[in-house]
Structures are given as C-alpha cells and as structure tokens.
Amino acid sequence: MSPSAGGLVVFLLSVQVIQSQDGWRVNYHQTDICAAKGSTVEIYTQRSGIRPSDIMERFWFTKEKDGEPVDLRTDSEYSGRVRYTCSGMRCYLHVTDVRESGSAEYKLTFMTNVPGEKYTGSPGVTLSVTGFQVQVRRSDSTWLELTCHSSCVLSDHPGYAWYKNGENIKNGSSLSVSSGSTDRYSCNLRGYSGQRSPAVYGPQRPSVSVSPSAEMLEGDSVTLTCSADANPAANYTWYKQDRTSDRRLLSEEPQLVFSSIQSSDSGRYFCTAENQLGRKTSEFILIRVKYGPQRPSVSVCPSAEMLEGDSVTLTCSADANPAASYTWYKEHEDSPRASGQIFTITDFTAEHSGNYYCEAQNEMGRSNSTLLLITESGVDRTTMIIHITRWPLLVVMMILLLLFCLWTRKKKAVSSTTEPHESREAVEMDLHPEYENLSDMAAQREDPEEQV
C-alpha cells in the first residue's frame, strides 16, 4: 500500500493455491486485507491449469443471486468504480474510492467454453475498509490527548497527520489539546488526500424544543428536548431555575417529559450539553401552564366592622393563567354589585351590612371566594359626636343654675328694704330675654333708676 495522487493503492498478490479436480488453480495471497476509506484497491490473481482458449468469460463478484454470481460491473454499488484487466496468467480487479460498504469477500469466477462448466476461486479475498476516528482521553484536569483510530490494521502504515479547523498542524500518532477548546480536530493518513476523520469538538450552544408547541393546559403531556452539535455526542442535563439564584437538577437525559403537567411546573428551564472537550448551557425557556383560577382570597381595608359613613375597600386576588377577571356579589342577590379586582363601598350604611364574595374567572374556569361578613357598629359616628359635645354643655348649664341660686339668695336678703312693686319689677326684669348673662342682671339691680 503506497500513497498516490488519487489516494492509496493496495496490491494483492495471490499465493494461496486453490486447485480443482481438473488441475485448474487460482493463487490467492492474503485472505484478509485492510484498506483506508477512499483509497484505491487493486487485486490480482495468478491462475494455472486453465488455458485462455477455454475461458469464455471472467468476472469478479461479492454477491450471488439465485445461486449465480453477480458481476461487480452490474452492481449499482460499484457503478463506475470497478475495472477488470487480464495479462497472461494474471487477472486484476481495480476498485476506486472504496467505501465501508465495500467490506466483503471478493472472488474471481471463470466461464468455460464447455456448456454449464465454470470455476470459482474460493475462498476469495476478504477486504475490510476502514475510516478514521479521533478518540479523546483526558490526561489531566486541563489537557486532553487525541489519538487517531482505525477499525483494522493498515498495511505499510505511513503515520498520521493532524488538522485543526481544517489546517494541517502536526504529524504524529497523537495530539494534546486544552480542555474546553472550541476548535475542531481531525486526522488522516500522512500524505493521503482521501477523506479525513470526522472532526471532534465541544458542544455548540444547545437548542431547546417543546412538544406540543401550542399552549399548555393542566394535565397535558409535554416534552422538552435538548440538542447540541457535538462530537463525541454530548451528555445532557435538565435544570429548573428557582426564583432565587438556585437551580434544581431534574433529569440527565436529552428529553424532559411531563406526563401530566401542572400549574406548579410553570417556570424557567434550561439544559446543558457536555462532552470531553467542553460544556455549554442553553438559553432559558419559559413554561407557562394555563389553568383556571384557584380559590380567591379577599382582603378588607380598614376592617370588616364599619361605622356609618365609613368607606371600605375590598380586594380580590386569585392565582390563574391567563389572569382572571373579577365580579363582586352580595349573598342572596343575583345581580353583581361590582366588577373588577377592587370593590369600594363609600358612605357605609346599615343597608350595606351582609355577606359578600367575589368570583374569579378566565377561559379555563371560575372559582368563588368564601363569604365575607361586613357589619355596622351599634353606635354611629354622629351619635358618638353628640355624646361627646353634650358633656361640656351640661356642665355650663349646671354652673348657670348654681349662679342663679346664689343670686336668688342675695335677692331675698335685700327684699326687706324694697317695696313690693319694686320687687316684682325686678323679678320681671330678670326674666326678660334681653338679659344675656348674669353680669347684666347684677348691674341692673344696683342702679334700678338708670334702667328705667
């Protein structure tokens, strides 16, 4: 086997002797041959005991149909890639661009001029066609060792050539690269223009697909799939990102399956792809599961016991996707009192007392809150104000009554020095509405003539 412009050429010379009863012989050299994928193989045999005049037809084959050999030239898998030549006692088979599917046992058969008489040199030559693979082994925490591998041992091995992103960088049996490298490495036989090994490289950024891609409803079966271009093939891990910076490991498979997805499964997910050469993380995917409203909760401000004239605000909230709309009802009433998340009652009166509830509704369903009792206090604010203002008025009246009693006693003390008609006049004057306070009454008593 030697390099050439068109690839490697493998020459097979027969030495093993296969002899028939008539003395016909075909000499095969090697029974097992290894050739590089894409190379050219040339097989030839040495026959004896067979006169050229006895041969009507000769061809090579690997398959039989209905017990008869199939000429390689008529096999579609070899179309345009095989050629036969014979010179003297030697016959040649040329196969170009050999493929891994061409690994088979090749035999030469002769058709003679005697009807029904033929001869096949058997067993034939077994050809194994190999490609090249880069094997990755971690040598330490920062370095990897790459080796070029073939499935069979090549004859006259010329050594290997190494390529980085398509450019030849080194010849040798192995190559050391740093862990986490984003470059692509491949190998081939040195001096060989045929097909190189598949390149090895770390994962590209993974992509995530969701099935079904339509909206998700509670109870549906949902599958998330992580995929990344990588060689060797990547291993996958699924995580769910919590509201904090923590992440929760869910699966170490390419697919994350929810057989019956729930509202609690809503959230942000991501996956990682990793092989020996590196690791990459996908973007977040947001999962929103549609579900009907959970039982609403109601808050009251300022409280559930109101005074007449107060203002009270009720707020309804329910977990739902999509967001719920809200309607307010009073118990035993068919017509709603209000719509919207917030319900405000201004100027509260006794008629507003009773049980209230809200209804949350979206396209997935509806749910009612528990009853909320709002009552009126036994004493309203106006009554309380009157009670507060009556106390100082009573005190004033008591003081006035006390002063009046004192004045009456003083009047009786001086009544003995006055005429009866004067005393009556004084009393009448005291009760006249024009006297606004006791000080005016006292001044009048001291100077009665001036008053007249």
Side-chain angles (χ1 to χ4, degrees):
M1 179 172 62
S2 60
S4 68
L8 295 178
V9 180
V10 179
F11 299 97
L12 305 181
L13 177 62
S14 340
V15 279
Q16 180 177 340
V17 177
I18 306 299
Q19 186 170 349
S20 72
Q21 293 179 352
D22 298 328
W24 295 358
R25 293 181 303 173
V26 174
N27 301 326
Y28 289 107
H29 178 217
Q30 291 175 288
T31 57
D32 294 293
I33 303 299
C34 178
K37 181 180 178 180
S39 64
T40 296
V41 174
E42 185 177 81
I43 305 173
Y44 62 93
T45 64
Q46 183 78 30
R47 72 180 187 274
S48 63
I50 306 175
R51 293 175 299 180
S53 59
D54 294 333
I55 299 174
M56 297 295 294
E57 184 182 5
R58 63 179 74 84
F59 60 85
W60 295 82
F61 71 95
T62 61
K63 303 175 184 177
E64 292 184 353
K65 183 178 181 180
D66 298 329
E68 295 296 326
V70 177
D71 191 340
L72 281 179
R73 293 171 296 188
T74 64
D75 191 331
S76 60
E77 292 185 13
Y78 292 86
S79 178
R81 297 192 296 114
V82 297
R83 181 169 58 90
Y84 304 155
T85 59
C86 283
S87 175
M89 302 301 288
R90 291 185 177 182
C91 285
Y92 297 82
L93 167 64
H94 302 266
V95 183
T96 61
D97 187 23
V98 292
R99 303 167 186 176
E100 289 176 295
S101 61
S103 296
E105 183 182 27
Y106 291 78
K107 301 175 185 177
L108 177 64
T109 189
F110 298 92
M111 301 294 184
T112 70
N113 53 13
V114 178
E117 192 172 282
K118 60 183 179 179
Y119 175 71
T120 298
S122 181
V125 177
T126 300
L127 175 64
S128 299
V129 181
T130 182
F132 302 102
Q133 300 289 333
V134 176
Q135 295 182 334
V136 183
R137 183 179 66 86
R138 182 173 292 277
S139 56
D140 56 39
S141 60
T142 57
W143 289 95
L144 303 170
E145 184 180 24
L146 310 184
T147 56
C148 200
H149 176 74
S150 60
S151 60
C152 58
V153 180
L154 294 163
S155 304
D156 301 326
H157 198 303
Y160 293 110
W162 288 94
Y163 300 85
K164 175 182 176 180
N165 299 324
E167 298 293 329
N168 180 237
I169 57 172
K170 178 186 176 182
N171 294 328
S173 59
S174 63
L175 178 67
S176 293
V177 299
S178 61
S179 178
S181 173
T182 58
D183 297 309
R184 297 178 175 232
Y185 298 93
S186 59
C187 68
N188 206 345
L189 290 176
R190 187 173 58 199
Y192 176 45
S193 60
Q195 188 175 2
R196 299 170 189 165
S197 72
V200 295
Y201 48 93
Q204 307 301 298
R205 187 163 200 173
S207 62
V208 176
S209 61
V210 184
S211 178
S213 58
E215 62 184 23
M216 303 175 195
L217 309 180
E218 272 196 324
D220 283 353
S221 176
V222 177
T223 301
L224 309 184
T225 302
C226 185
S227 59
D229 181 21
N231 188 33
N235 296 316
Y236 298 96
T237 308
W238 277 100
Y239 297 91
K240 183 177 182 181
Q241 183 72 46
D242 294 331
R243 293 183 179 179
T244 63
S245 59
D246 296 333
R247 61 185 185 179
R248 181 158 48 93
L249 174 64
L250 300 176
S251 172
E252 293 182 343
E253 298 292 336
Q255 292 185 326
L256 179 61
V257 179
F258 299 91
S259 57
S260 178
I261 200 164
Q262 301 298 310
S263 60
S264 57
D265 295 320
S266 297
R268 298 199 303 169
Y269 294 80
F270 68 94
C271 67
T272 62
E274 183 177 14
N275 66 8
Q276 297 97 315
L277 285 87
R279 171 189 174 102
K280 287 293 177 65
T281 301
S282 73
E283 295 181 345
F284 286 106
I285 180 170
L286 182 61
I287 298 298
R288 296 181 181 273
V289 181
K290 286 191 172 184
Y291 53 94
Q294 308 301 302
R295 171 165 279 191
S297 61
V298 178
S299 60
V300 186
C301 183
S303 67
E305 185 177 274
M306 311 308 303
L307 300 178
E308 187 173 352
D310 274 351
S311 175
V312 60
T313 298
L314 311 181
T315 302
C316 187
S317 59
D319 182 23
N321 184 34
S325 59
Y326 300 93
T327 307
W328 289 92
Y329 294 90
K330 188 176 182 182
E331 189 180 23
H332 305 308
E333 291 184 4
D334 295 332
S335 299
R337 283 296 184 103
S339 60
Q341 191 170 7
I342 297 175
F343 173 32
T344 301
I345 302 174
T346 58
D347 194 17
F348 192 89
T349 65
E351 295 180 354
H352 292 115
S353 295
N355 288 313
Y356 290 82
Y357 66 93
C358 69
E359 180 183 80
Q361 179 179 3
N362 66 7
E363 63 189 59
M364 306 302 299
R366 64 181 66 197
S367 181
N368 293 340
S369 71
T370 56
L371 293 174
L372 174 68
L373 177 62
I374 301 179
T375 61
E376 181 191 16
S377 178
V379 180
D380 63 27
R381 182 173 283 110
T382 304
T383 304
M384 291 178 68
I385 293 174
I386 291 174
H387 286 333
I388 292 172
T389 56
R390 281 181 178 178
W391 280 105
L393 180 61
L394 181 60
V395 172
V396 172
M397 292 180 65
M398 291 178 66
I399 293 172
L400 291 176
L401 180 60
L402 179 59
L403 291 176
F404 180 77
C405 292
L406 293 175
W407 176 81
T408 303
R409 289 181 180 180
K410 183 178 179 180
K411 174 185 173 189
K412 290 181 178 180
V414 298
S415 61
S416 57
T417 60
T418 59
E419 294 296 330
H421 70 275
E422 292 178 342
S423 177
R424 286 193 301 270
E425 183 182 2
V427 173
E428 289 174 0
M429 291 175 64
D430 290 343
L431 300 177
H432 199 281
E434 292 180 359
Y435 297 102
E436 297 179 352
N437 53 51
L438 295 178
S439 60
D440 292 339
M441 294 172 63
Q444 179 63 31
R445 292 303 300 169
E446 291 177 357
D447 191 2
E449 290 183 358
E450 184 178 352
Q451 178 67 25
V452 175

